[in-house]
Every structure is written in structure tokens, then in C-alpha cells.
Amino acid sequence: QVQLQESGPGLVKPSETLSLTCAVSGYSISSGYYWGWIRQPPGKGLEWIGSINHRGSTFYNPSLKSRVTISVDTAKNHFSLKLSSVTAADTAVYYCARRKEDYYYYYMDVWGKGTTVTVSS
Amino acid sequence: EIVLTQSPGTLSLSPGERATLSCRASQSVSSSYLAWYQQKPGQAPRLLIYGASNRATGISDRFSGSGSGTDFTLTISRLEPEDFAVYYCQEYGSFFGGGTKVEIK
């Protein structure tokens, strides 16, 4: 079945760039759909960060757009997140998910387990 | 950008009771774009409902979704112990509402 796994440093210093990768197994990213990043600060709700498709087309949350870059590597079957100039407010659990488009329905049907990123010096 | 507002913030109910959760959009949303998720502590969200009213694979028929335009509802007909969790609505596979916590009374 389709599985997603986030990886990356658990600790990032303020003002630096957070970098995470989501490895996809059981499905080829080249086959379609968008692939997204979502985060959840401690004790708070879900925040969509942005999404990318296999061609590299992206759309981002406007509130984060100036600091976010999402890229895809179809050869490695993974996609990545970079968030620049981080502050303590970027401390969160970061999830990756598949954004499925199915007969005009749009939803995130497969999620990674999440990875905790702490911003601290 | 469409803003989704969920209410109430917290719902305190007993097992066996009916839960009604609201998701209101700042502008009209296609029903096809509205999804609901359940999240338990320490776990990733799980898809419950897509297209406003379609249950995802393996989801109990205790869960039902309805609504159109700007007002959508998730109903849990009879709360089971495992249903106490936080619920989120989402639009277009992107923006989320703030969530409703269903807690044991």
C-alpha cells in the first residue's frame, strides 16, 4: 500500500533553513496527484504549507509563501520542503501527505507519521 | 483564500450521544472540495469524509457528512470511546479549519 515517511533534522537553529524530505513507497509520484506538506505546532491545529505535483507545479499557503520551497525528485520518488529564516514559531510536527484528486473530489488520503522539528539555538 | 471556521471549539459529550460538528466557509465552497479528518493524540490525521458526504474506505457508518455552499456538518451518530478526538475540515485538499475537540463529559 502507499506509504509516506518524513525525514530530516529534528533541531534547527533560528534564522536557518529547515529541510525535510518525504519518501513515497507503494506508488510512483510520476503517476500523478499532488503531494503536500502540513504542520502542527504543539497543542495547535493543522496548517497546510503547500503542495507539488510530479511536474513540479506548486501552490503554497500565502502566509508562508515567501519562505517556502517545495520540490520533487521523481527518480528518487520523494519530495522535499525547505522553509527559510525559521523562528521558534516554526517549531511543529511536520507531516507529508498525498493530495488525491478523484472525480473532482480533493482530499488527503495518505499521511506520513510526522516528524518533530524544534527551532532553538 | 477561503477561511474555514469550525464550531464549537470543544464538544463535551458522553458515549452513546450524538455529536454535531460545524464547518463554515468564508465563501461558497464546492461540496466536492470539502473533507473531514479525525486526529488522535500523537497520530497523523485520518481521512473520514470527502466530497462533503462520502465516507472514506473503512470508516464506520456512525460518521456522516452533509452540507453545501458555506455550511457543512459532520455528525457522529452514537459516540464510541474511540471517537473522542479532534476533528478538522479541509477545503480543496489545502486549507484546514481550526478543529473541534470532542471530549468525554
Side-chain angles (χ1 to χ4, degrees):
Chain A
Q1 78 271 25
V2 184
Q3 292 184 313
L4 282 67
Q5 178 68 59
E6 305 89 350
S7 62
L11 181 64
V12 182
K13 290 182 168 52
S15 80
E16 294 190 345
T17 295
L18 178 162
S19 296
L20 296 175
T21 295
C22 181
V24 179
S25 60
Y27 186 87
S28 172
I29 287 180
S30 298
S31 295
Y33 300 136
Y34 272 80
W35 304 82
W37 287 98
I38 304 95
R39 70 180 184 179
Q40 185 169 38
K44 296 189 178 181
L46 301 170
E47 180 179 32
W48 170 70
I49 299 170
S51 299
I52 190 167
N53 71 3
H54 64 286
R55 293 188 218 91
S57 295
T58 55
F59 61 116
Y60 298 130
N61 186 326
S63 69
L64 296 168
K65 187 175 182 177
S66 64
R67 298 194 292 131
V68 171
T69 302
I70 297 176
S71 59
V72 65
D73 187 331
T74 54
K76 293 183 178 178
N77 214 39
H78 72 210
F79 59 106
S80 301
L81 168 70
K82 290 189 186 300
L83 180 65
S84 64
S85 305
V86 298
T87 69
D90 296 309
T91 293
V93 176
Y94 285 77
Y95 296 99
C96 58
R98 182 173 74 173
R99 176 184 179 267
K100 197 167 183 183
E101 303 155 30
D102 185 13
Y103 296 106
Y104 306 111
Y105 300 128
Y106 296 84
Y107 51 89
M108 290 180 160
D109 66 333
V110 182
W111 293 67
K113 288 181 165 53
T115 188
T116 298
V117 178
T118 301
V119 178
S120 175
S121 55
Chain B
E1 174 187 334
I2 291 177
V3 176
L4 300 177
T5 301
Q6 292 189 240
S7 62
T10 302
L11 202 49
S12 299
L13 295 168
S14 300
E17 290 195 294
R18 181 186 187 91
T20 302
L21 289 66
S22 172
C23 175
R24 179 161 291 176
S26 58
Q27 57 188 280
S28 185
V29 170
S30 169
S31 297
S32 298
Y33 295 178
L34 201 287
W36 290 92
Y37 301 82
Q38 176 193 67
Q39 187 181 34
K40 296 179 180 179
Q43 296 184 17
R46 178 176 70 143
L47 176 69
L48 294 177
I49 300 284
Y50 64 93
S53 61
N54 302 283
R55 277 187 297 275
T57 302
I59 300 302
S60 168
D61 60 6
R62 295 195 310 278
F63 293 90
S64 63
S66 63
S68 63
T70 59
D71 291 300
F72 298 88
T73 300
L74 175 69
T75 301
I76 311 171
S77 58
R78 296 171 310 279
L79 283 164
E80 296 286 341
E82 62 268 26
D83 299 336
F84 292 92
V86 181
Y87 294 84
Y88 295 94
C89 58
Q90 183 194 40
E91 183 265 340
Y92 197 56
S94 57
F95 295 100
F96 292 92
T100 290
K101 181 180 182 180
V102 179
E103 65 175 22
I104 299 177
K105 187 174 181 180

